Amino acid sequence: MSISEQQSLKQQVTLLELVDRVLNKGVVVSGDITLSVAEVDLVYVGLRVLLSSVATLEEPRERISTAGAAR
Amino acid sequence: MIHLYGVVEELEALPPVAGVGAGPLERCRVEGLDLVVSREARDGGEVTQAALLSHANVVEELMARSGAVLPARFGHAFTDEQELAAAVRTKAAGLTRTLNLVRGCLEFGLRVLGGDIAAENGSGQLSGRDYMQARLAVERGRRRLARELHEPLAELSRASARFGGASSDLLQSAYLVPRRDADTFGDGVRRLEAAHPDLTIVCTGPWPPYTFAANGEADA
């Protein structure tokens, strides 16, 4: 993964963390929140996919470094 | 409709940014609490990326200019000042308590992936009982690892929260850290990264204290 790709991924993770906070956290002054649960779930799904892809992208690099050490 | 951004303390002047739907920011006082709001002509609360970013941007700007900020959750617009005032009045004591908690603090988020230890021994010949015991041992190991990651960071924080019970993430948590200790907290995260190169540790922040504003409200 190039540095610019890493930065773009980090920005996306940060954006999704932000959306999670703004929609799911923060003080609720009124008891009535108009946002539907379905939309919130989508946010979580998006974040999961992204973080999984971070983990997947990390793997090849680990394998390369292990192969390098064995030589 | 009135859109609420948060409850603030020691805000010198409103930030020079527009609110959701380009409405200008305003302040109002209810029960001695200082609120930052904007007005929307049409029915507000529509969830678009632009609206969320605009809300978040105002909260960030307030953080930079205030002694304490309780960020409001996006998703409810008030019909008029009376409705807003009535809602704030019923929660005033809890809001004041939470303002005291978050004063001078930043929030950091942590997500940790990995820590999967293979439960099966490869042959697949385990009895049902042995399989369940092996699964239990794995689960205990993951819980212990999550605690080992969480506790040193929680010790550096004024408050902390763990969530995502049903999630497959090893750890999902948030930390309320005094501004002056933010560097120490960053060092703490880097120490964990160095000690666990096999895990994917994603630390985000500093955020306004969204998580702790919500928790304080729940406790009130």
mmCIF file of all heavy atoms in Angstrom, chain B residues 166-186:
data_model
loop_
_atom_site.group_PDB
_atom_site.id
_atom_site.type_symbol
_atom_site.label_atom_id
_atom_site.label_comp_id
_atom_site.label_asym_id
_atom_site.label_seq_id
_atom_site.Cartn_x
_atom_site.Cartn_y
_atom_site.Cartn_z
ATOM 1 N N ALA B 166 -21.045 -7.047 20.974
ATOM 2 C CA ALA B 166 -21.379 -8.032 19.946
ATOM 3 C C ALA B 166 -20.400 -7.970 18.769
ATOM 4 O O ALA B 166 -20.476 -8.763 17.847
ATOM 5 C CB ALA B 166 -22.794 -7.780 19.444
ATOM 6 N N SER B 167 -19.476 -7.007 18.831
ATOM 7 C CA SER B 167 -18.572 -6.818 17.698
ATOM 8 C C SER B 167 -17.448 -7.852 17.732
ATOM 9 O O SER B 167 -17.090 -8.373 18.786
ATOM 10 C CB SER B 167 -17.983 -5.417 17.778
ATOM 11 O OG SER B 167 -16.815 -5.344 17.023
ATOM 12 N N SER B 168 -16.884 -8.146 16.563
ATOM 13 C CA SER B 168 -15.768 -9.078 16.523
ATOM 14 C C SER B 168 -14.439 -8.365 16.776
ATOM 15 O O SER B 168 -13.390 -8.998 16.823
ATOM 16 C CB SER B 168 -15.739 -9.785 15.169
ATOM 17 O OG SER B 168 -15.620 -8.813 14.159
ATOM 18 N N ASP B 169 -14.480 -7.047 16.929
ATOM 19 C CA ASP B 169 -13.253 -6.327 17.271
ATOM 20 C C ASP B 169 -12.762 -6.809 18.634
ATOM 21 O O ASP B 169 -13.555 -7.087 19.522
ATOM 22 C CB ASP B 169 -13.507 -4.820 17.375
ATOM 23 C CG ASP B 169 -13.805 -4.193 16.024
ATOM 24 O OD1 ASP B 169 -13.738 -4.913 15.016
ATOM 25 O OD2 ASP B 169 -14.097 -2.991 15.999
ATOM 26 N N LEU B 170 -11.449 -6.884 18.780
ATOM 27 C CA LEU B 170 -10.889 -7.277 20.066
ATOM 28 C C LEU B 170 -11.233 -6.226 21.123
ATOM 29 O O LEU B 170 -11.549 -6.545 22.264
ATOM 30 C CB LEU B 170 -9.367 -7.431 19.926
ATOM 31 C CG LEU B 170 -8.607 -7.910 21.143
ATOM 32 C CD1 LEU B 170 -9.045 -9.307 21.534
ATOM 33 C CD2 LEU B 170 -7.114 -7.877 20.867
ATOM 34 N N LEU B 171 -11.159 -4.946 20.729
ATOM 35 C CA LEU B 171 -11.454 -3.865 21.679
ATOM 36 C C LEU B 171 -11.984 -2.651 20.933
ATOM 37 O O LEU B 171 -11.453 -2.273 19.888
ATOM 38 C CB LEU B 171 -10.164 -3.496 22.434
ATOM 39 C CG LEU B 171 -10.240 -2.354 23.443
ATOM 40 C CD1 LEU B 171 -11.190 -2.675 24.588
ATOM 41 C CD2 LEU B 171 -8.859 -2.039 23.999
ATOM 42 N N GLN B 172 -13.050 -2.080 21.457
ATOM 43 C CA GLN B 172 -13.576 -0.790 20.990
ATOM 44 C C GLN B 172 -13.738 0.044 22.231
ATOM 45 O O GLN B 172 -14.485 -0.335 23.130
ATOM 46 C CB GLN B 172 -14.966 -0.963 20.377
ATOM 47 C CG GLN B 172 -14.996 -1.247 18.902
ATOM 48 C CD GLN B 172 -16.441 -1.279 18.393
ATOM 49 O OE1 GLN B 172 -17.278 -0.503 18.810
ATOM 50 N NE2 GLN B 172 -16.706 -2.210 17.509
ATOM 51 N N SER B 173 -13.044 1.173 22.277
ATOM 52 C CA SER B 173 -13.095 1.945 23.514
ATOM 53 C C SER B 173 -12.863 3.423 23.254
ATOM 54 O O SER B 173 -12.463 3.813 22.158
ATOM 55 C CB SER B 173 -12.046 1.403 24.484
ATOM 56 O OG SER B 173 -10.814 1.259 23.810
ATOM 57 N N ALA B 174 -13.151 4.219 24.272
ATOM 58 C CA ALA B 174 -12.929 5.656 24.187
ATOM 59 C C ALA B 174 -12.349 6.134 25.514
ATOM 60 O O ALA B 174 -12.638 5.553 26.566
ATOM 61 C CB ALA B 174 -14.232 6.374 23.880
ATOM 62 N N TYR B 175 -11.521 7.150 25.448
ATOM 63 C CA TYR B 175 -10.804 7.652 26.628
ATOM 64 C C TYR B 175 -10.946 9.162 26.713
ATOM 65 O O TYR B 175 -10.784 9.860 25.707
ATOM 66 C CB TYR B 175 -9.322 7.259 26.538
ATOM 67 C CG TYR B 175 -9.170 5.770 26.367
ATOM 68 C CD1 TYR B 175 -9.163 5.193 25.098
ATOM 69 C CD2 TYR B 175 -9.119 4.929 27.469
ATOM 70 C CE1 TYR B 175 -9.088 3.821 24.928
ATOM 71 C CE2 TYR B 175 -9.042 3.553 27.316
ATOM 72 C CZ TYR B 175 -9.025 3.009 26.045
ATOM 73 O OH TYR B 175 -8.975 1.648 25.880
ATOM 74 N N LEU B 176 -11.237 9.637 27.901
ATOM 75 C CA LEU B 176 -11.341 11.073 28.154
ATOM 76 C C LEU B 176 -10.039 11.504 28.825
ATOM 77 O O LEU B 176 -9.765 11.110 29.957
ATOM 78 C CB LEU B 176 -12.546 11.341 29.064
ATOM 79 C CG LEU B 176 -12.886 12.797 29.325
ATOM 80 C CD1 LEU B 176 -13.390 13.474 28.050
ATOM 81 C CD2 LEU B 176 -13.943 12.916 30.425
ATOM 82 N N VAL B 177 -9.238 12.284 28.091
ATOM 83 C CA VAL B 177 -7.868 12.559 28.522
ATOM 84 C C VAL B 177 -7.676 14.065 28.723
ATOM 85 O O VAL B 177 -7.980 14.847 27.814
ATOM 86 C CB VAL B 177 -6.868 12.054 27.445
ATOM 87 C CG1 VAL B 177 -5.440 12.317 27.864
ATOM 88 C CG2 VAL B 177 -7.091 10.569 27.183
ATOM 89 N N PRO B 178 -7.172 14.479 29.895
ATOM 90 C CA PRO B 178 -6.863 15.901 30.077
ATOM 91 C C PRO B 178 -5.887 16.367 28.992
ATOM 92 O O PRO B 178 -4.963 15.633 28.627
ATOM 93 C CB PRO B 178 -6.203 15.952 31.464
ATOM 94 C CG PRO B 178 -6.742 14.749 32.183
ATOM 95 C CD PRO B 178 -6.921 13.700 31.117
ATOM 96 N N ARG B 179 -6.121 17.570 28.456
ATOM 97 C CA ARG B 179 -5.288 18.095 27.359
ATOM 98 C C ARG B 179 -3.796 17.960 27.651
ATOM 99 O O ARG B 179 -3.016 17.591 26.785
ATOM 100 C CB ARG B 179 -5.585 19.586 27.147
ATOM 101 C CG ARG B 179 -6.763 19.858 26.262
ATOM 102 C CD ARG B 179 -6.996 21.365 26.155
ATOM 103 N NE ARG B 179 -8.340 21.628 25.668
ATOM 104 C CZ ARG B 179 -8.666 21.691 24.377
ATOM 105 N NH1 ARG B 179 -7.740 21.547 23.450
ATOM 106 N NH2 ARG B 179 -9.907 21.918 24.010
ATOM 107 N N ARG B 180 -3.403 18.274 28.888
ATOM 108 C CA ARG B 180 -1.972 18.272 29.212
ATOM 109 C C ARG B 180 -1.394 16.852 29.188
ATOM 110 O O ARG B 180 -0.184 16.678 29.105
ATOM 111 C CB ARG B 180 -1.721 18.936 30.572
ATOM 112 C CG ARG B 180 -2.401 18.231 31.717
ATOM 113 C CD ARG B 180 -2.086 18.826 33.077
ATOM 114 N NE ARG B 180 -2.781 18.066 34.109
ATOM 115 C CZ ARG B 180 -4.069 18.237 34.418
ATOM 116 N NH1 ARG B 180 -4.784 19.145 33.785
ATOM 117 N NH2 ARG B 180 -4.642 17.493 35.340
ATOM 118 N N ASP B 181 -2.248 15.832 29.235
ATOM 119 C CA ASP B 181 -1.765 14.445 29.231
ATOM 120 C C ASP B 181 -1.890 13.770 27.864
ATOM 121 O O ASP B 181 -1.643 12.566 27.741
ATOM 122 C CB ASP B 181 -2.553 13.608 30.251
ATOM 123 C CG ASP B 181 -2.356 14.110 31.676
ATOM 124 O OD1 ASP B 181 -1.304 14.738 31.927
ATOM 125 O OD2 ASP B 181 -3.245 13.896 32.514
ATOM 126 N N ALA B 182 -2.282 14.551 26.838
ATOM 127 C CA ALA B 182 -2.526 13.948 25.518
ATOM 128 C C ALA B 182 -1.261 13.281 24.962
ATOM 129 O O ALA B 182 -1.331 12.192 24.380
ATOM 130 C CB ALA B 182 -3.051 15.003 24.551
ATOM 131 N N ASP B 183 -0.094 13.931 25.158
ATOM 132 C CA ASP B 183 1.157 13.349 24.640
ATOM 133 C C ASP B 183 1.485 12.044 25.355
ATOM 134 O O ASP B 183 1.911 11.073 24.730
ATOM 135 C CB ASP B 183 2.321 14.334 24.808
ATOM 136 C CG ASP B 183 2.196 15.502 23.845
ATOM 137 O OD1 ASP B 183 1.405 15.385 22.870
ATOM 138 O OD2 ASP B 183 2.881 16.527 24.060
ATOM 139 N N THR B 184 1.289 12.034 26.654
ATOM 140 C CA THR B 184 1.530 10.823 27.446
ATOM 141 C C THR B 184 0.616 9.705 26.969
ATOM 142 O O THR B 184 1.028 8.540 26.863
ATOM 143 C CB THR B 184 1.239 11.093 28.945
ATOM 144 O OG1 THR B 184 1.815 12.342 29.286
ATOM 145 C CG2 THR B 184 1.776 10.010 29.832
ATOM 146 N N PHE B 185 -0.636 10.055 26.665
ATOM 147 C CA PHE B 185 -1.588 9.054 26.170
ATOM 148 C C PHE B 185 -1.111 8.498 24.825
ATOM 149 O O PHE B 185 -1.122 7.281 24.609
ATOM 150 C CB PHE B 185 -2.982 9.679 26.032
ATOM 151 C CG PHE B 185 -4.035 8.689 25.637
ATOM 152 C CD1 PHE B 185 -4.693 7.927 26.594
ATOM 153 C CD2 PHE B 185 -4.375 8.497 24.303
ATOM 154 C CE1 PHE B 185 -5.653 6.993 26.240
ATOM 155 C CE2 PHE B 185 -5.335 7.571 23.931
ATOM 156 C CZ PHE B 185 -5.975 6.819 24.907
ATOM 157 N N GLY B 186 -0.640 9.393 23.938
ATOM 158 C CA GLY B 186 -0.105 8.961 22.632
ATOM 159 C C GLY B 186 1.060 8.007 22.812
ATOM 160 O O GLY B 186 1.164 6.991 22.102
#
